[in-house]
Amino acid sequence: MPTSSAPQAVLFDRDSTLVVDVPYNGDPDLVRPMPGAVEAVAAVRAAGVPTGVVSNQSGIARGLITREQVDAVNARVDEVFGAFDTWQVCPHGPEDGCACRKPAPGMVLQAAAALGVDPARVVVIGDIGADVGAAHAAGAAAVLVPTPITRAEEVAAASVVAPDLATAVRIALAGGAG
Ligand SMILES: [Mg+2]
Ligand SMILES: [Zn+2]
């Protein structure tokens, strides 16, 4: 049973958080989990907490990949990790002004609605400032797990930073995400 301080859902960024980033990847065979990521997601599920993915995929808007290719890659992610309870994908580009592209809150709100949970009891785990921004814009908590692409000012601005996904999940499940 989840404790009262535990989140009602944990949402993960996909690229550079769950899987090694292959820019605009349309090939399921190139899906490789980040170190420790499969175990970290399993720990969330073992705590009885639903999991989801919130992923910007502007390659669709840019005409570099199709929605079908993204869906095929995401299906492979579900095979590698076990099926996530909800997937939210933004197919738009930065100029489209959509409500879903992180740091906009749309995908976090949609995921919470799909799971039937309160956005304020959701934790988003991701590797860049847009992940943290989307969480906070939705009223959710966030844990930043920096990678070499994460900018120093994004790390400085994040209220909660973890060195790896396992630590991020421990913080999230303990109710310590900001
Ligand atoms: Mg990322
Ligand atoms: Zn969008």
Side-chain angles (χ1 to χ4, degrees), residues 11 54 98-112 119 130 133-140:
L11 306 178
V54 287
C98 70
C100 40
R101 179 175 167 82
K102 295 176 285 185
M107 290 194 289
V108 177
L109 296 173
Q110 286 166 10
H136 290 164

Side-chain angles (χ1 to χ4, degrees), residues 60 65-74 87-91:
I60 298 171
I65 44 173
T66 65
R67 178 64 195 237
E68 290 67 31
Q69 287 176 305
V70 170
D71 288 344
V73 168
N74 293 347
W87 274 90
Q88 304 295 331
V89 173
C90 168

Side-chain angles (χ1 to χ4, degrees), residues 72-162:
V73 168
N74 293 347
R76 178 65 187 145
V77 173
D78 269 349
E79 286 179 2
V80 170
F81 285 84
F84 287 88
D85 299 297
T86 185
W87 274 90
Q88 304 295 331
V89 173
C90 168
H92 308 111
E95 315 305 325
D96 291 338
C98 70
C100 40
R101 179 175 167 82
K102 295 176 285 185
M107 290 194 289
V108 177
L109 296 173
Q110 286 166 10
L115 296 169
V117 303
D118 179 356
R121 299 285 306 280
V122 168
V123 180
V124 178
I125 299 177
D127 68 301
I128 64 171
D131 300 310
V132 175
H136 290 164
V143 181
L144 182 75
V145 182
T147 63
I149 66 164
T150 311
R151 300 203 308 266
E153 57 266 35
E154 295 176 325
V155 178
S159 48
V160 181
V161 180

